Every structure is written in structure tokens, then in C-alpha cells.
Amino acid sequence: MTKATKRAALACAVAAALGLALYFNGSTAADEVADNQVTAAATLAADPAAVARGAYVSIQGDCAACHTVPGGRAFAGGYGLQTPFGVIYSTNITPDIKTGIGNWTERDFFRAVRHGRHKNGQLLYPAMPYNAYVKISDADMHDLWAYMRTLQPVEQSPSHNTLGFPYNIRHALWGWNLLFFDNAPFVTQPAQSAAWNRGRYLVDGPGHCAACHTPKNFLGGDTGRYLQGAELLGSYAPEITADPYRGLGSWSREQLQTYLRTGANHQAIASGAMGEAIEFSTQHLNDQDLAAIAEYLKSVPGSNSIKPQAMATTEPVMRRGAQVYEQNCMACHNVAGEGIAGMVTGFADNPGIRTPSGSNLVAAILKGSKAVTTSGNVTGAGMPSFDWKLGDADIAAVLTYVRNSWGNAASQITPEQVATARRTLDAKPQMLRHF
Ligand code: HEC
Ligand code: HEC
Ligand code: HEC
């Protein structure tokens, strides 16, 4: 190496180190707006208006859903999140001194929520969606803290994570943050309306919609295909951009709001992960905020998917699918896939039916599912499981049929795909008749 290149290399290394130092110190500078004296457990007169606003922020952020075991004490943690890397358990965030965040200050709290750092400086797993919460405003964070301090302290120690090597090494998250953590606050776009900006704030910040709806790379970081649909374990979060074919282009703003408020609309019925997001979060949002989310999502450019050609009804697999449909599905999903608004999924011209891999449909038919119940839609109908009843070829045929009828066109589902899903989803084998 010549002297000049050596010097250049050294300069690069120093610049990189400086950049990193700035990156990390700069990252938490914003948290200095928070108090660093009073702990969560300390007695302090609460401002009821701030507490009420903070409760609403926690609903936007869906904090309780992840930090509460179903049927367990609120915010006491222990809920296991299934990730491709293993199970990560949420922590106790009640103001209990021994097992919760009782001895944390507001600044510690800001750092954890917006920058993914424990009080002791350890990095948190991005299963806690700090990469979205970094967009939460200072004002909302102050209110959220005011609310958190009023929670009932619960003594409950956290469960241990079951991550395999190398994912169990928290230091590795340093690299993850460097690659995938967009450490920047929310910036209002003055050219857009107030409603649009509010919608974007809710979607990208507290609502953390991208956590499920943006496809991930092999390290669990967001790809550039913003809100264009992502495989989850055993289900699929569809594209929610304005794309006319795969996204929400065909839904009106009102239909979108109805879905987020009640869990169902003219064609879609929410269940699973979205059912939970609706149950604990979006059904409680006020109408103005729901309208803002719709305003924003309807402006997000989509994957620009080209509508494929639907399979011909004369294809043998389509004929077989039509037969299976008539015998097993028509009673509920109706003659021409209309479904029943607010109760049974309508297949006709439904973007949720033409997802790229169809994994969500295979899971629903094998394991069945239960629609979410909300105060706006108390029916909560059920989709029976067909794993015991139908073989792989029949399931593949009926789903291929549904995906290529009534205005839909999408790739074929293969019997092999169904067989694999049967194994990975731990579904029952088909019950064979021996007569
Ligand atoms: C998608 C699930 C999920 C949501 C939603 C979520 N959290 Fe978390 N949170 C976690 C997990 C998992 C951890 C533990 C991460 C780890 O161990 O590295 C965590 C950790 C934390 C911590 C650090 C506590 C500690 O002892 O280290 C705080 C504080 C926290 N969350 C607050 C919140 C707040 C406030 C909200 C709502 C604005 C929220 N969380 C929403 C999953 C979630
Ligand atoms: C925990 C994961 C998760 C989060 C967070 C989440 N979603 Fe979803 N979403 C899903 C899944 C899974 C589905 C498919 C539901 C089904 O088929 O019943 C879905 C479906 C939807 C649909 C219906 C799409 C269609 O074509 O049928 C809309 C609209 C939607 N989500 C909007 C949102 C918005 C807005 C947010 C943020 C406020 C959000 N989601 C947050 C997982 C999630
Ligand atoms: C007893 C009534 C009933 C029958 C019979 C039935 N379904 Fe359903 N199905 C429902 C209901 C209700 C829902 C919505 C609830 C939910 O998603 O949990 C649903 C949802 C679905 C979904 C989920 C759509 C999505 O967006 O994720 C698929 C796929 C589906 N049904 C396919 C079928 C097929 C194929 C058949 C026939 C083999 C069938 N269903 C038979 C009631 C039924």
C-alpha cells in the first residue's frame, strides 16, 4: 500500500467511525426533551387530560396487544411473538419496580420506544417496532408516558427468549440498526393536506402497519416495496397501497374505514393478525383518524401489478374446482362468490384473494378461521376447517377456481403447495373413507 492510499484508508475509517458515533449519539439526542429525574413508580399528580390522550396513543400503537398474554394482566408482558428466528417474549411495562419499568425515567422510556434501547443500554429486538415508533412525536410520547405511569404495577418476571445462534446475540442488533433502522423523526409534507399527513403519521408511526404489510429481507429488515404485501408465518398481509389490482384501489375510502372500524366490509372479513390489530387498535380510533388513514393509503403508489389472464373455465382443474366449490363452499360463499357483506368473505373481484402465493387462502381452508368480533360487527362468523375433509388436489383445484373466477385472475395453487402447508401448519390429514 502506498502512503497516499494508506492515508486515504485511514481517513475513511475515521470518517466511518465518526459517522457511526454521530449516528448513535445523534439517535438519542431527541430523547433529551424527556425528563430524566422522576421514575415511573414515583408518586406524582397526573394531568388527567394528558393521561387520556396517552391512553389513545397506546391504542394507536397497539401496545397492550403485544405486552399482554391473552387473559393475563394488562401490560405485564410474556406474550410470545413468533418470528422466523425464534420466539421473542414481550416485557413487563407496568410501573412495577422489581419486574417492570418502575425505576425507569421518562427518558429511558423514550429511548426504548423510539430507539430500541433498554435502560441499561442493551439493544432491543425489532420485534418491538421501534423502527416505526421512532416517528411518534414528542407530544404524543409525553402523553403516552403520563398514561404508562398510571398503570397498575404487576409483579411478573419476563419469559426467556428461544432464539437460536446467532440471533440470540443482542450485539448483532447494532448491525441490524445500521442497515435497517431509519432513525429519523416524522416530517410533515406541506404540499399535502393535513388529513394526508395525519394518516401517514398514524400508518408509519404508532400504527406500525409496515411491520406486517411491507415484505422483509432475509434478516427481517424492510425491503423497498413499501406496504406491497408480505408473507407472515402461516398467513399473508395483503398489499394495502392504491394498486388497482393487488391493493386497495377498488375500495372506496368509506369501505376501507368500515373495514378498520368493524373488521368487515362489503367483501373482506378480517381474522388472525389483522383481526387482533382491529380488535385492540383500529376499531377504537376516531372517525377523523380513520378517514386520515384512508386518505393516505389511497395515495400510496402500488406494485403496479399487471392483471394476468384468468384461466379458461374449460381447463380440467377449473372444472374440478367448480365442482368442489358447489358441494362445499357455495352454501356460505354464495353462487357467484358474492359472500355475505359483513359476515362471509366475498371472493368476487377481491384483492385479498389474488395474493401472489395464495398462502393465506391455503391456511384458511386447511385450518378454518374465526372472524374478529368488534363493537361495530358482533357476528364474528366462522370458516370451518377442511383439512380432514378435502384432499390436496381438491383444495388446490377449488382455490385455483376461486382465484380465477368472478373478476379474479391469479396463479394456480398446486397440490404440492397444499401438502407442504398441511405439514408446516400442523393441519390434519384427510380422513379417508374405507367403504
Ligand atoms: C409487535 C409487538 C409489540 C408492540 C406492538 C409493542 N411492543 Fe414493546 N416490546 C415488544 C417486545 C417483543 C419487547 C422485548 C424486546 C427485547 O427483549 O429485545 C418489547 C419491549 C418494550 C420495552 C422495553 C422494556 C424492557 O424491559 O426492556 C418498552 C418500554 C416497550 N416495549 C414499550 C412499548 C410501548 C409503549 C408500546 C406501544 C407504543 C409497545 N411497546 C408496543 C413487543 C411489542
Ligand atoms: C400484526 C400484523 C399486522 C399489522 C400490524 C397490520 N396488519 Fe393489516 N393485515 C394483516 C393481515 C394478516 C391481513 C389479512 C387479514 C385477513 O385475511 O383476514 C391484513 C389485512 C389488512 C387489510 C385488508 C386487505 C385486503 O385486501 O383484504 C387492510 C386494509 C389492512 N390490513 C390495513 C392495515 C393498516 C392500516 C394497518 C396499520 C394501522 C395494519 N393493517 C396493520 C396483518 C397486519
Ligand atoms: C359454514 C360457512 C362456510 C363454508 C361452508 C365455507 N366458508 Fe369460507 N369462510 C366463511 C366465513 C364466515 C369466512 C370469513 C371468516 C374468516 O375469514 O375467518 C370465510 C373465509 C374464507 C376464506 C378466507 C379469505 C381471506 O381473505 O383470508 C377463504 C379462502 C375461504 N373462506 C374459502 C372457502 C372455501 C374454498 C370453501 C369450500 C371448500 C369454504 N370457504 C367454505 C364461511 C364458510
Side-chain angles (χ1 to χ4, degrees):
M1 221 188 263
T2 67
K3 226 177 191 167
T5 50
K6 247 190 207 161
R7 211 177 294 138
L10 191 69
C12 279
V14 169
L18 263 177
L20 282 180
L22 273 177
Y23 179 87
F24 282 105
N25 295 329
S27 74
T28 45
D31 299 328
E32 258 126 60
V33 296
D35 166 75
N36 205 21
Q37 305 292 322
V38 184
T39 62
T43 20
L44 188 78
D47 167 6
V51 172
R53 287 192 307 265
Y56 188 60
V57 175
S58 92
I59 283 169
Q60 291 163 11
D62 212 4
C63 317
C66 273
H67 282 276
T68 310
V69 178
R73 306 283 301 273
F75 296 99
Y79 181 84
L81 279 112
Q82 308 283 339
T83 77
F85 315 111
V87 182
I88 301 176
Y89 291 93
S90 65
T91 48
N92 182 342
I93 53 171
T94 70
D96 180 57
I97 292 184
K98 229 166 91 194
T99 60
I101 59 169
N103 61 2
W104 288 36
T105 64
E106 185 183 43
R107 195 175 298 173
D108 297 330
F109 179 72
F110 275 40
R111 258 183 207 162
V113 174
R114 292 203 298 203
H115 294 109
R117 281 173 174 241
H118 188 266
K119 181 181 169 66
N120 66 11
Q122 244 185 8
L123 300 176
L124 299 177
Y125 287 106
M128 159 72 187
Y130 59 86
N131 54 344
Y133 295 156
V134 67
K135 304 274 183 269
I136 300 181
S137 70
D138 290 347
D140 278 354
M141 286 297 296
H142 286 306
D143 291 341
L144 182 57
W145 174 245
Y147 169 67
M148 298 300 297
R149 297 186 73 256
T150 65
L151 295 176
Q152 191 65 33
V154 178
E155 191 177 327
Q156 180 177 300
S157 297
S159 314
H160 288 287
N161 296 330
T162 57
L163 299 178
F165 180 81
Y167 305 112
N168 53 358
I169 306 177
R170 279 186 189 269
H171 294 299
L173 293 167
W174 183 86
W176 195 94
N177 281 341
L178 194 62
L179 290 170
F180 307 122
F181 179 39
D182 178 19
N183 186 10
F186 181 78
V187 181
T188 303
Q189 292 196 9
Q192 299 282 357
S193 69
W196 184 94
N197 275 295
R198 175 69 177 164
R200 181 169 184 225
Y201 173 74
L202 291 167
V203 165
D204 289 351
H208 65 281
C209 314
C212 295
H213 286 277
T214 296
K216 305 286 176 276
N217 59 31
F218 74 105
L219 285 170
D222 279 353
T223 62
R225 284 175 286 136
Y226 177 64
L227 301 181
Q228 291 179 12
E231 296 282 345
L232 304 178
L233 296 172
S235 70
Y236 187 83
E239 175 159 352
I240 53 170
T241 68
D243 188 83
Y245 194 64
R246 285 252 165 80
L248 304 172
S250 63
W251 287 13
S252 70
R253 284 174 174 69
E254 289 69 33
Q255 288 166 339
L256 177 48
Q257 287 169 55
T258 303
Y259 179 85
L260 295 173
R261 182 171 50 241
T262 68
N265 63 13
H266 61 299
Q267 66 176 187
I269 314 285
S271 58
M274 191 62 205
E276 285 172 24
I278 290 169
E279 182 178 356
F280 297 107
S281 179
T282 63
Q283 73 158 320
H284 305 290
L285 297 184
N286 63 43
D287 287 346
Q288 212 181 345
D289 280 346
L290 289 176
I293 291 177
E295 176 74 17
Y296 173 64
L297 287 181
K298 293 285 285 181
S299 81
V300 176
S303 54
N304 230 336
S305 51
I306 296 166
K307 186 175 172 169
Q309 192 77 32
M311 283 176 76
T313 49
T314 48
E315 293 269 349
V317 65
M318 288 287 282
R319 288 211 178 132
R320 182 168 181 181
Q323 250 170 17
V324 178
Y325 185 80
E326 255 178 59
Q327 287 161 6
N328 296 280
C329 323
M330 205 191 260
C332 295
H333 289 280
N334 238 320
V335 184
E338 312 92 308
I340 304 171
M343 199 183 317
V344 182
T345 310
F347 295 146
D349 202 16
N350 180 344
I353 297 304
R354 11 189 221 235
T355 53
S357 78
S359 59
N360 55 328
L361 314 177
V362 178
I365 193 169
L366 282 174
K367 303 280 280 188
S369 79
K370 178 85 178 65
V372 61
T373 311
T374 58
S375 57
N377 186 22
V378 293
T379 330
M383 157 75 193
S385 61
F386 283 91
D387 52 356
W388 63 278
K389 194 173 180 194
L390 298 176
D392 297 343
D394 277 346
I395 289 180
V398 73
L399 291 180
T400 298
Y401 171 73
V402 163
R403 279 160 69 80
N404 287 280
S405 300
W406 317 303
N408 297 318
S411 64
Q412 213 172 322
I413 304 292
T414 64
E416 292 72 33
Q417 184 184 350
V418 179
T420 307
R422 233 186 246 277
R423 279 195 305 276
T424 52
L425 299 175
D426 206 18
K428 292 193 194 76
Q430 183 189 16
M431 239 163 51
L432 296 171
R433 293 190 209 95
H434 297 286
F435 49 83

